[in-house]
Amino acid sequence: MSRRELVVLGTASMVPTRTRNHNGYVLFFDGTTILFDPGEGTQRQMTLAGVSATDLSRIAITHLHGDHSLGLAGVVQRISGDGVQHTVPVSFPASGEPWVRHLLAAGAYDHYERLTLQPLSPRSAADGAVVVPRVPGERDAPGPGETRRDASVLTARSLDHRIDAVGYRLDEPDGVSFDPAALAAAGVPPGPDVGRLARDGVLTLADGRTVSRAQVSAARPGQSVAFVMDTRLCDAVHALADGVDLLVIESTFLHRDVEIADRFAHLTCRQAASVAASAGVRHLVLTHFSQRYAEPDELPLAFEREAREVFDGEVTVAADLDRVPLPPRRREVVTGRR
């Protein structure tokens, strides 16, 4: 069955708190399950959230600061120990490869994991974006009532942090969904004929009538998710967020601390929400909070209040172990998405 939701494993930035673990996020998107930025403690948080190592089809790391990567060692040992049979690609900024290899060799264990390392260099691309390569067999599954579709595309863009960092965006191609009532009215029986109609675009029935795919289907807008961690404001932040259904974005500081945010190459809550507003984001998920803010007085209340000053869409101030579903599909295909 189709599943599209974000599972939040951790929401703290540099220093975990009593209530917030280091970063960690799992995106379930039909047949794709991506673990983003496994900070320290991610393996335990996966257990608490009910996420299995066998669920993971990909690991995507934005940069190699510890709060975004120290959990990689434990997660990969878990993949090995659980005997995960499929290959798990690990993507990351190319300059971070030495640290990735150190983390993978951080302890003694039997290496049964099947990994493919995918160092990324978005700065070398003409438009600043690179398509993250898929591995053989990595493919999305069609949802209920949908034709088989091309796989969603994961891209990465370089961000503006103190070390090389990338943001990620997952885009599902626009497609069509068959309308069961229209199929029945046209005399197309369920089963192989529907598959032939999906493949060929036209079907000749036993009585000689022809049915086109357009007659019995409706546009199925693709969905999109962007994941933006440590960065100052830059063109790539806006490009990644452009028109997405779900934007998961760092909100390390309140705007009263904007000078600190700029010094350490982070975003404030107001900056993140302003990006979401200008980009037409449907659901904004704020995360990666500094330990300087007290709970419950400032987290989540002050962050939500500041975000709503500039963004009128749906806002989630993320907490550990939250589950955030993707918004329902748009009714019309969105044009001009990047």
Side-chain angles (χ1 to χ4, degrees):
M1 186 173 179
S2 177
R3 178 185 184 185
R4 296 189 177 187
E5 71 172 353
L6 175 76
V7 178
V8 180
L9 302 179
T11 55
S13 55
M14 183 176 67
V15 178
T17 70
R18 292 178 183 271
T19 57
R20 294 181 182 271
N21 198 73
H22 262 174
N23 280 279
Y25 313 86
V26 176
L27 176 65
F28 287 92
F29 198 91
D30 296 344
T32 296
T33 305
I34 306 175
L35 169 62
F36 289 100
D37 281 9
E40 183 181 355
T42 291
Q43 184 180 179
R44 179 175 180 273
Q45 296 297 97
M46 286 171 58
T47 298
L48 293 176
V51 177
S52 168
T54 58
D55 291 331
L56 303 181
S57 58
R58 170 178 294 278
I59 299 172
I61 299 172
T62 61
H63 64 293
L64 272 298
H65 277 153
D67 55 328
H68 298 259
S69 63
L70 285 176
L72 179 65
V75 170
V76 170
Q77 291 185 40
R78 176 81 164 271
I79 289 171
S80 172
D82 287 0
V84 174
Q85 294 299 302
H86 57 269
T87 298
V88 179
V90 183
S91 56
F92 51 87
S95 62
E97 185 166 356
W99 293 303
V100 169
R101 292 192 179 276
H102 286 320
L103 286 165
L104 297 179
Y109 65 101
D110 295 322
H111 288 272
Y112 297 120
E113 73 281 4
R114 301 178 182 183
L115 301 182
T116 296
L117 299 189
Q118 296 181 329
L120 306 174
S121 301
R123 294 186 191 280
S124 64
D127 65 351
V130 297
V131 176
V132 181
R134 284 182 167 263
V135 299
E138 186 181 5
R139 185 178 177 86
D140 292 312
E146 296 176 352
T147 62
R148 191 167 187 80
R149 60 177 178 264
D150 293 331
S152 298
V153 176
L154 184 68
T155 55
R157 289 180 180 266
S158 291
L159 298 173
D160 180 12
H161 195 43
R162 291 178 295 146
I163 62 173
D164 286 348
V166 300
Y168 294 95
R169 176 174 173 138
L170 185 71
D171 283 294
E172 175 192 23
D174 296 329
V176 296
S177 296
F178 282 121
D179 180 346
L183 286 169
V188 180
D193 282 346
V194 177
R196 282 189 283 271
L197 182 56
R199 183 186 66 242
D200 302 332
V202 64
L203 177 70
T204 301
L205 301 176
D207 60 9
R209 290 183 299 118
T210 59
V211 179
S212 70
R213 185 167 51 208
Q215 289 176 257
V216 293
S217 65
R220 178 190 54 78
Q223 291 193 303
S224 53
V225 180
F227 188 84
V228 177
M229 284 295 112
D230 299 17
T231 184
R232 297 183 180 93
L233 285 176
C234 61
D235 289 344
V237 174
H238 295 279
L240 288 162
D242 184 30
V244 295
D245 295 280
L246 189 72
L247 172 62
V248 185
I249 188 168
E250 70 130 315
S251 176
T252 309
F253 298 99
L254 290 169
H255 204 69
R256 71 187 188 216
D257 296 316
V258 63
E259 293 183 1
I260 300 175
D262 187 65
R263 185 192 321 156
F264 291 101
H266 284 291
L267 297 177
T268 68
C269 177
R270 183 172 300 160
Q271 288 172 331
S274 296
V275 167
S278 64
V281 170
R282 299 178 66 200
H283 191 153
L284 170 65
V285 179
L286 301 169
T287 187
H288 192 271
F289 306 112
S290 169
Q291 74 275 11
R292 69 175 53 229
Y293 301 110
E295 296 191 75
D297 300 330
E298 294 177 310
L299 264 172
L301 297 180
F303 280 80
E304 181 170 356
R305 184 166 55 247
E306 184 166 286
R308 293 194 183 280
E309 290 173 359
V310 294
F311 179 70
D312 60 5
E314 189 167 0
V315 177
T316 295
V317 180
D320 288 20
L321 306 183
D322 275 354
R323 293 179 180 270
V324 183
L326 265 69
R329 286 193 186 279
R330 303 178 194 261
R331 293 188 176 182
E332 297 180 358
V333 173
V334 178
T335 58
R337 291 188 315 182
R338 304 184 189 193

